[in-house]
């Protein structure tokens, strides 16, 4: 069985083909970074227009690289949400058209669940219970997974996502877009203890995250030190800010480990490409004697292989998947499955 998946929730147009045994036959990702870079962030209207331009070509390319034609596809999958509504609708409508024409099932996939699924792509035998920390440009969330395809939201950001905070500070200093990788590059060799950042604390004992306080503190430092993209202490400043974001993420994860006693940890989402975060995550897992899984970098940022993999998992053992096209896009996360 071959599954073709489409992902267009934000600013990557992606398509992938995978077999029922989860062998990736192709995974094509077209980034829109160049379109959004002049604005220092994703412009929703430009994103959906760019998806419209690229989607046909990207799907064709994914089929060609898999050496298949559309008629060889047994099921289609598409990201339903959360994400930018216009961007989601482009992928969803395109996938509906394919499924309708070829009379094949279409599965709607949750973007956040797909990010977690990326960890299972290379490690199908992860032991449960699992705590998953999902860190991206749009989301920062902590999930508890008790078994396959079952997950509960434990905490989420109350304001900015971690990646968004990195992107905004990079934009403010005119460093380029997306900010996360630029900050990682420019902070190399910097002293991460030069600038002190107090970490946010939730007074109600929740496992929610907050990054707006760190962002405000960073803006204050920028004002006080006249920080700029040519300032000699820029690497120290960026290293300190990045380290504070990482500490905020990992302190919450450590708290959740104490409360929920998982067997394994997953780190996923675009910011999971970050070396400082990956290292800290591995150290935390080792200190707590837990298994740790991080997807390969190309499966951390948005891609369609993770969407296809989740569809394959959902179809496993099912004789006759539904042929319904009754799927709607949703902009916000809404579907924890316990
Ligand atoms: O998962 P993703 O591709 O899209 C969303 O679902 O949001 O994540 C994109 C985010 C951006 O904020 C980007 O700055 C961040 O991931 N990112 C990184 C790195 N690579 C991407 N942040 C820190 N270090 C990186 N190496
Ligand atoms: Zn994402």
């Amino acid at each position: 069985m071959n599954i073709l998946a489409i992902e267009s929730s934000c600013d990557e147009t992606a398509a992938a083909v995978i077999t029922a045994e989860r062998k990736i036959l192709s995974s094509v990702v077209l980034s829109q970074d160049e379109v959004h870079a002049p604005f220092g962030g994703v412009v929703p209207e430009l994103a959906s227009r760019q998806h419209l331009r690229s989607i046909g070509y990207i799907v064709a390319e994914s089929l060609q690289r898999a050496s298949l034609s559309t008629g060889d596809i047994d099921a289609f999958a598409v990201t339903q949400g959360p994400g930018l509504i216009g961007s989601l609708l482009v992928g969803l409508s395109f996938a509906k058209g394919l499924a309708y024409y070829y009379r094949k099932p279409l599965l709607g996939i949750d973007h956040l669940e797909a990010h977690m699924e990326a960890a299972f792509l290379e490690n199908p035998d992860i032991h449960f219970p699992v705590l998953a920390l999902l860190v991206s440009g749009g989301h920062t969330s902590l999930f508890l997974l008790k078994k396959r395809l079952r997950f509960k939201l434990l905490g989420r950001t109350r304001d900015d996502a971690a990646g968004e905070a990195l992107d905004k500070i990079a934009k403010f200093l005119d460093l380029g877009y997306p900010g996360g990788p630029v900050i990682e590059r420019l902070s190399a060799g910097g002293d991460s203890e030069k600038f002190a950042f107090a970490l946010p604390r939730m007074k109600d004992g929740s496992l929610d995250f907050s990054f707006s306080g760190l962002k405000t503190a960073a803006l204050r430092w920028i004002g006080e030190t006249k920080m700029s993209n040519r300032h000699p202490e820029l690497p120290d400043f960026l290293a300190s800010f990045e380290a504070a974001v990482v500490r905020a993420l990992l302190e919450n994860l450590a708290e959740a480990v104490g409360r929920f006693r998982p067997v394994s940890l997953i780190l996923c989402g675009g910011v999971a490409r970050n070396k400082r975060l990956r290292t800290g995550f591995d150290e935390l897992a080792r200190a707590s004697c837990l298994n740790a899984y991080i997807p390969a970098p190309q499966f951390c940022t948005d891609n369609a292989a993770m969407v296809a993999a989740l569809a394959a998992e959902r179809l496993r053992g099912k004789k006759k998947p539904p042929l319904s096209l009754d799927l709607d896009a949703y902009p916000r996360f809404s579907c924890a499955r316990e």
Side-chain angles (χ1 to χ4, degrees):
M1 179 160 96
N2 300 311
I3 301 162
L4 187 148
I6 293 173
E7 152 67 41
S8 69
S9 66
C10 190
D11 61 340
E12 264 93 24
T13 319
V17 182
I18 200 172
T19 66
E21 296 73 36
R22 303 160 66 89
K23 180 167 187 267
I24 299 170
L25 301 182
S26 67
S27 176
V28 186
V29 181
L30 182 64
S31 156
Q32 300 181 357
D33 285 354
E34 277 173 26
V35 175
H36 303 290
F39 306 95
V42 179
V43 183
E45 183 60 25
L46 294 182
S48 41
R49 284 168 192 264
Q50 198 62 29
H51 284 306
L52 263 180
R53 281 191 201 104
S54 319
I55 187 111
Y57 162 74
I58 292 300
V59 168
E61 182 69 18
S62 73
L63 284 163
Q64 196 187 340
R65 290 193 198 174
S67 303
L68 295 173
S69 62
T70 325
D72 299 321
I73 299 300
D74 302 288
F76 295 95
V78 64
T79 303
Q80 236 182 315
L84 301 172
I85 196 72
S87 294
L88 288 164
L89 283 171
V90 175
L92 189 66
S93 311
F94 198 89
K96 277 186 182 179
L98 286 171
Y100 180 73
Y101 184 83
Y102 289 96
R103 304 274 163 207
K104 293 287 160 62
L106 173 64
L107 284 89
I109 298 291
D110 183 83
H111 183 70
L112 305 192
E113 196 182 359
H115 267 302
M116 292 189 265
E117 184 67 25
F120 292 89
L121 254 176
E122 290 155 301
N123 306 284
D125 298 321
I126 297 177
H127 288 132
F128 293 89
V130 177
L131 272 180
L133 174 60
L134 160 57
V135 201
S136 73
H139 310 275
T140 301
S141 311
L142 196 54
F143 292 96
L144 177 65
L145 291 72
K146 288 203 175 140
K147 58 179 180 173
R148 220 59 182 92
L149 305 181
R150 291 281 173 270
F151 59 101
K152 178 183 172 182
L153 182 71
L154 300 178
R156 55 164 38 151
T157 183
R158 293 194 179 175
D159 36 61
D160 289 340
E164 188 181 2
L166 293 166
D167 293 342
K168 283 181 177 169
I169 293 303
K171 177 181 179 184
F172 198 80
L173 289 170
D174 207 12
L175 302 177
Y177 173 83
V182 180
I183 289 182
E184 174 158 53
R185 183 165 47 81
L186 296 178
S187 67
D191 176 1
S192 63
E193 286 173 17
K194 188 77 172 261
F195 292 83
F197 285 95
L199 290 194
R201 295 255 176 275
M202 289 298 150
K203 292 195 182 77
D204 57 4
S206 93
L207 289 167
D208 282 348
F209 300 84
S210 168
F211 292 95
S212 67
L214 277 181
K215 200 183 59 189
T216 307
L219 293 176
R220 205 177 319 117
W221 274 124
I222 291 173
E224 280 173 20
T225 58
K226 304 212 171 10
M227 186 57 62
S228 73
N229 53 14
R230 281 184 299 275
H231 196 287
E233 288 186 328
L234 182 71
D236 300 334
F237 173 72
L238 296 179
S240 302
F241 181 62
E242 191 190 82
V245 169
V246 167
R247 263 197 332 271
L249 291 166
L250 295 181
E251 280 204 3
N252 228 12
L253 179 62
E255 172 67 25
V257 166
R259 287 193 209 174
F260 294 94
R261 304 260 160 231
V263 172
S264 310
L265 298 180
I266 287 175
L267 175 66
C268 56
V271 185
R273 291 177 78 128
N274 183 271
K275 272 191 222 76
R276 196 186 303 272
L277 179 57
R278 292 170 90 96
T279 308
F281 174 80
D282 281 336
E283 279 166 9
L284 191 157
R286 214 172 311 122
S288 321
C289 299
L290 302 174
N291 306 313
Y293 301 93
I294 312 174
Q298 71 272 27
F299 300 128
C300 285
T301 29
D302 288 349
N303 66 90
M306 64 187 193
V307 179
L310 185 51
E313 187 59 28
R314 284 200 5 214
L315 287 173
R316 198 151 60 101
K318 283 217 169 63
K319 287 216 171 57
K320 225 171 178 306
L323 279 167
S324 165
L325 292 178
D326 192 17
L327 294 180
D328 285 327
Y330 51 84
R332 268 175 282 281
F333 176 75
S334 62
C335 74
R337 268 196 298 276
E338 291 183 49

